[in-house]
Amino acid sequence: MVLWVFGYGSLVWNPGFDFDERIIGFIKDYKRVFDVACIDHRGTPENPARTLNLEAEKGAVCWGAAFCVSGGAEKEAEAMKYLERRECEYDRKISVSFYKEGDCVIPALTGVLVFVSTPDRNINKYYLGPAPLDQMARQIATAKGPCGNNREYLFSLERALFEIGHEDDYVIQLANEVRKVLAGLKEKKSRMSGPHLLVKFNFGSVYLPALREATVADSR
């Protein structure tokens, strides 16, 4: 029995489990969105990080990596145990067809597993929902948790997609907006803690009256 898992986020650059094969490719009719809360890795309950999810959209393409786990039920079970613990914010597993570059008609793989999060706040506490780009950028720029900050996640994704040769315009746009926020925060901090000014006081000439000659008494 063989397990195939599609990674569209941190799995692309940091799978973290024992796999036998990695293939670069894409799935159809889904796009990346940053609408899942992370409260224990790169964020906190008070200031959650924004991490990836997949949103259905006809005609969309999402590039990533498919990982194969073969070698028996025990190895597959170990991989699934790890993934379910790591992807705890994702309450659903869906099965998709996976395509390789150069053939967008016939899938290279079918029945590939993907972790996704239900887009409904009423039944999914991790679903944040959409937000304006500038608002998401401020949240990603400032959120941090035990495993690092939120912006590292976004910048690592941007770099990973560049390295596999399939950048995502949405990811680039959001990353650039986060950089603007960080630059603004740095400038604000610099103004608040700017250089201390040396203030010189000029009192001019000061008139001191002449002192009377003191009479010294000999105590002997």
Side-chain angles (χ1 to χ4, degrees), residues 159-172:
R159 183 167 56 252
L161 295 177
F162 172 78
E163 289 174 351
I164 67 172
H166 294 283
E167 297 175 281
D168 187 318
D169 290 341
Y170 169 68
V171 172
I172 293 172

Side-chain angles (χ1 to χ4, degrees), residues 76-91:
E76 180 183 332
E78 288 178 0
M80 283 301 299
K81 182 179 179 181
Y82 168 81
L83 287 167
E84 288 175 345
R85 183 173 65 251
R86 172 172 167 168
E87 310 295 325
C88 60
E89 294 93 355
Y90 299 86
D91 60 331

Side-chain angles (χ1 to χ4, degrees), residues 87-101:
E87 310 295 325
C88 60
E89 294 93 355
Y90 299 86
D91 60 331
R92 295 172 55 216
K93 303 180 192 73
I94 61 174
S95 179
V96 298
S97 295
F98 177 84
Y99 299 81
K100 293 173 67 175
E101 189 167 14

Side-chain angles (χ1 to χ4, degrees), residues 8 26 42 129 153 175:
Y8 56 94
F26 62 92
R42 296 183 181 271
Y153 173 89

